Amino acid sequence: FVCECNSGYELGDDLMTCSDINECDVGFTDYSSDGSSEGGSTNGSFNSCTQICTNTNGSYICECFSGYELNDDLLTCVDVDECSLNYCDQTCTNTIGSFVCECDIGFELGSDLMTCTDINECGLSIECSSN
């Protein structure tokens, strides 16, 4: 008899037991559908995750860093446009993986870096010119 393993598992040295393949390991060879390495990937990793790879039993899942979300292909990560989510009170600038809030003149950015508070210019003891 010959033992075979399900996809995502490899046959052990004893030729009887199957163990999970860590597709997230660097240096793992992606074998083509016929079992040969011809046509497979040896570019350092089996998975196609663009940011974070998490090994699971028999497979793997891709995840993204903060400020990114998983694309429909479940492999690549795309920047989240936080400005479209209205996090900022006034002016929002989307950046790669993040965002920056700014306030209009006469307002100051709060400690949460998102809300703007009106500055009481009269209480700042600023001397105004007579003009």
Side-chain angles (χ1 to χ4, degrees):
F1 70 95
V2 176
C3 295
E4 293 180 5
C5 300
N6 292 331
S7 176
Y9 294 87
E10 63 185 349
L11 194 59
D13 292 338
D14 64 3
L15 302 178
M16 295 175 54
T17 57
C18 297
S19 59
D20 177 53
I21 296 170
N22 185 348
E23 294 87 354
C24 300
D25 273 350
V26 173
F28 181 81
T29 301
D30 172 13
Y31 292 95
S32 63
S33 58
D34 67 1
S36 72
S37 61
E38 186 173 324
S41 169
T42 56
N43 63 358
S45 183
F46 169 71
N47 71 81
S48 298
C49 299
T50 58
Q51 291 187 359
I52 301 169
C53 178
T54 302
N55 190 55
T56 62
N57 283 329
S59 190
Y60 65 96
I61 58 170
C62 299
E63 298 173 289
C64 302
F65 301 130
S66 178
Y68 294 85
E69 62 186 4
L70 202 56
N71 205 347
D72 292 339
D73 64 7
L74 302 179
L75 300 170
T76 56
C77 297
V78 293
D79 178 55
V80 173
D81 181 5
E82 293 88 355
C83 295
S84 68
L85 302 173
N86 298 318
Y87 288 143
C88 300
D89 269 359
Q90 294 180 1
T91 304
C92 182
T93 302
N94 189 53
T95 62
I96 304 291
S98 191
F99 65 101
V100 176
C101 299
E102 295 177 289
C103 300
D104 298 335
I105 294 173
F107 292 83
E108 65 182 354
L109 195 59
S111 60
D112 64 0
L113 302 179
M114 294 185 287
T115 57
C116 296
T117 307
D118 186 25
I119 298 171
N120 180 359
E121 291 88 354
C122 296
L124 294 177
S125 63
I126 299 173
E127 285 194 34
C128 297
S129 68
S130 59
N131 294 331

